[in-house]
Amino acid sequence: MVPVTALKTKAASPARAEWIDTILKGDCVAALEALPDHSVDAIFADPPYNLQLGGVLHRPDQSKVDAVDDAWDQFASFEVYDAFTRAWLLACRRVLKPNGTIWVIGSYHNIFRVGAKMQDLGFWLLNDIVWRKTNPMPNFKGRRFQNAHETMIWASPSADSVATPSTMTP
Ligand SMILES: C[S@@+](CC[C@H](N)C(=O)[O-])C[C@H]1O[C@@H](n2cnc3c(N)ncnc32)[C@H](O)[C@@H]1O
């Protein structure tokens, strides 16, 4: 998911020097917990979708759809997904600077749950941005509208934060 992006900051500390401009691999919550409080300017997260696929998907010609069925997208229930979401959002919240900024992208499967959890934890939602897919999955069965976008939530740690799109520019 890579939910933390360490951007260069002016105030350097010995602890920060060890991780700035570095890709930290591993569980995102554990990686975030190793970072100092209020040390991160910007977070971009693309968390698991929780697609809840009920088996193999086939196209009308019976060919198999290469859908996301990886272990990282398997959650036993909405409660389990919500607990996971809460854990990484809390970890993000602790490391974000007061005027930091967070972007979270998701599909209709998860973005509403993630957005609600962000509000529950005190994040202040600033905008939702639509990423329109120019090459979306075809509408195989014709029983729904084509799923041709994802939604990005842009938020700050609190209503008092001063975040503008320009604070995204390193
Ligand atoms: C929706 S995909 C995002 C993919 C990403 N945008 C990319 O282009 O590689 C979700 C990603 O979250 C990762 N992931 C799931 N659980 C994680 C965790 N606890 N810690 C870190 N990454 C995790 C998965 O491995 C997967 O790559």
Side-chain angles (χ1 to χ4, degrees):
M1 160 159 64
V2 194
V4 61
T5 306
L7 300 179
K8 273 186 184 153
T9 59
K10 288 184 185 132
S13 69
R16 172 166 301 149
E18 291 168 18
W19 57 269
I20 198 160
D21 290 339
T22 304
I23 295 175
L24 307 173
K25 294 185 186 173
D27 175 72
C28 61
V29 177
L32 285 162
E33 282 174 354
L35 302 186
D37 289 355
H38 310 305
S39 57
V40 169
D41 294 293
I43 293 173
F44 184 94
D46 184 3
Y49 308 109
N50 192 20
L51 286 183
Q52 310 150 69
L53 297 176
V56 178
L57 289 181
H58 289 100
R59 301 182 182 88
D61 66 4
Q62 292 310 309
S63 58
K64 190 179 163 217
V65 177
D66 187 19
V68 173
D69 56 1
D70 306 67
W72 54 258
D73 204 43
Q74 309 301 319
F75 297 88
S77 62
F78 284 138
E79 287 73 21
V80 174
Y81 186 77
D82 291 348
F84 166 74
T85 301
R86 185 171 190 278
W88 69 259
L89 280 172
L90 268 178
C92 289
R93 196 170 166 66
R94 185 187 61 77
V95 299
L96 259 190
K97 292 181 182 177
N99 287 337
T101 190
I102 179 167
W103 299 77
V104 186
I105 190 165
S107 63
Y108 70 87
H109 308 88
N110 68 331
I111 200 66
F112 302 106
R113 304 193 81 80
V114 172
K117 197 57 74 184
M118 290 176 81
Q119 289 182 313
D120 289 349
L121 294 177
F123 287 99
W124 188 247
L125 305 195
L126 299 167
N127 275 125
D128 65 327
I129 296 117
V130 169
W131 171 40
R132 188 170 65 88
K133 298 180 179 179
T134 53
N135 187 23
M137 189 84 84
N139 187 1
F140 296 122
K141 297 186 178 169
R143 296 204 303 242
R144 301 186 191 183
F145 297 109
Q146 188 173 37
N147 182 24
H149 79 280
E150 290 193 21
T151 301
M152 230 186 309
I153 294 174
W154 179 38
S156 56
S158 77
D160 301 328
S161 308
V162 182
T164 66
S166 63
T167 60
M168 282 301 297
T169 314

